[in-house]
Amino acid sequence: GLSGPSSTTSGGGAQITLTTSTKSGDNYIVFASSKNDTTSAGVKTDTTSTIQVHGGAVTNVTVNPSVATNVSADTRTITIQGFAKDQYNNPAAEGTNVSCTWIDYGGGNTGSGSQNTSSTTTVSGTATFIFTTSDTAGDNYLVICTSNNKTGTSGILTVIAGAASSIVVTPVSGNIIAGNTQVITTTLKDARGNLKSGESVTIEILDDSDGYGTLSEDPINSGITNQWNSRARYGNSDANGLLTALYTA
């Protein structure tokens, strides 16, 4: 609001201090009037153009995503947003510069990361980047954004395996004495060679002509498969992309 309701002139002009709100986007129009006699005809009025509140100097930077987030090795990309705000939590003024950089964050990174730009100006206080990870599951990253010497950090970005694209069964072939057993192992991987966990797998005997072969739970990896019947088991691949069953000839 105005610091005072009226002011006397000095040299034909009057000065009044306007104190606005602290909310960006609020608009004000000031009406001024002057009366130099006792009749209504003596009142003269004028108005200012619109006065708008804008964001102040950047005092806080945050980054989205702010929590741990997985990135598929199939897509490898994630949108990063840097939010620059002033002390009143208003978005920074249009064109405020925000720069971002990425760092390895453990996980034994074997790949690298990149982004479409390392510095950009804000739109409504927001700077947007596209970050590209490696395609190696287990690689971890942090993205750090800076504006006006204030910094914010993303949540941990972790590369995970993409969709399962291959399955390998071992042994490929072999001979087994009647009554003996052989562990059958399936290994699932994505298109980049990452081991794929949590994928549904079925192991089934298809061409045992005498009908005596059976499948049971692998005693070394118990509790991970369920039985369809004596000749088929199913379950989800483990953290190493594996599912096993025990074949009895």
Side-chain angles (χ1 to χ4, degrees):
L2 292 172
S3 60
S6 63
S7 177
T8 57
T9 64
S10 175
Q15 179 175 300
I16 295 176
T17 300
L18 172 65
T19 302
T20 68
S21 73
T22 59
K23 182 180 179 182
S24 177
D26 280 358
N27 296 307
Y28 297 85
I29 296 177
V30 178
F31 293 84
S33 65
S34 174
K35 183 176 182 181
N36 55 15
D37 59 34
T38 59
T39 66
S40 59
V43 177
K44 309 298 181 184
T45 63
D46 195 10
T47 61
T48 66
S49 57
T50 301
I51 299 171
Q52 186 176 69
V53 180
H54 294 279
V58 175
T59 61
N60 181 45
V61 175
T62 56
V63 181
N64 182 55
S66 60
V67 297
T69 302
N70 293 331
V71 182
S72 170
D74 285 343
T75 59
R76 299 177 56 204
T77 59
I78 184 171
T79 299
I80 303 294
Q81 292 178 305
F83 302 103
K85 297 184 178 181
D86 68 10
Q87 63 177 318
Y88 301 109
N89 207 37
N90 294 308
E94 301 291 305
T96 298
N97 182 268
V98 176
S99 61
C100 294
T101 186
W102 60 271
I103 60 173
D104 291 341
Y105 190 75
N109 289 19
T110 59
S112 61
S114 64
Q115 54 202 42
N116 61 337
T117 179
S118 60
S119 181
T120 190
T121 54
T122 61
V123 176
S124 299
T126 304
T128 302
F129 305 86
I130 302 298
F131 178 64
T132 302
T133 69
S134 74
D135 59 6
T136 303
D139 281 358
N140 296 306
Y141 302 88
L142 290 176
V143 174
I144 301 171
C145 293
T146 303
S147 181
N148 194 32
N149 295 318
K150 308 300 180 182
T151 62
T153 304
S154 70
I156 300 171
L157 309 177
T158 300
V159 182
I160 62 170
S165 65
S166 69
I167 183 169
V168 175
V169 180
T170 57
V172 175
S173 63
N175 297 315
I176 184 172
I177 298 172
N180 285 2
T181 59
Q182 171 69 56
V183 174
I184 306 299
T185 301
T186 62
T187 304
L188 275 75
K189 295 183 179 181
D190 68 9
R192 275 78 180 172
N194 297 303
L195 297 171
K196 177 65 175 178
S197 64
E199 194 80 4
S200 178
V201 180
T202 298
I203 303 175
E204 184 176 5
I205 302 171
L206 294 178
D207 60 355
D208 184 358
S209 58
D210 60 18
Y212 289 108
T214 61
L215 287 172
S216 58
E217 186 173 67
D218 177 8
I220 304 300
N221 295 300
S222 60
I224 65 170
T225 62
N226 301 286
Q227 185 174 358
W228 282 117
N229 53 55
S230 63
R231 296 164 64 81
R233 300 192 70 82
Y234 67 96
N236 293 330
S237 55
D238 65 15
N240 296 312
L242 305 177
L243 187 75
T244 59
L246 190 67
Y247 173 72
T248 301

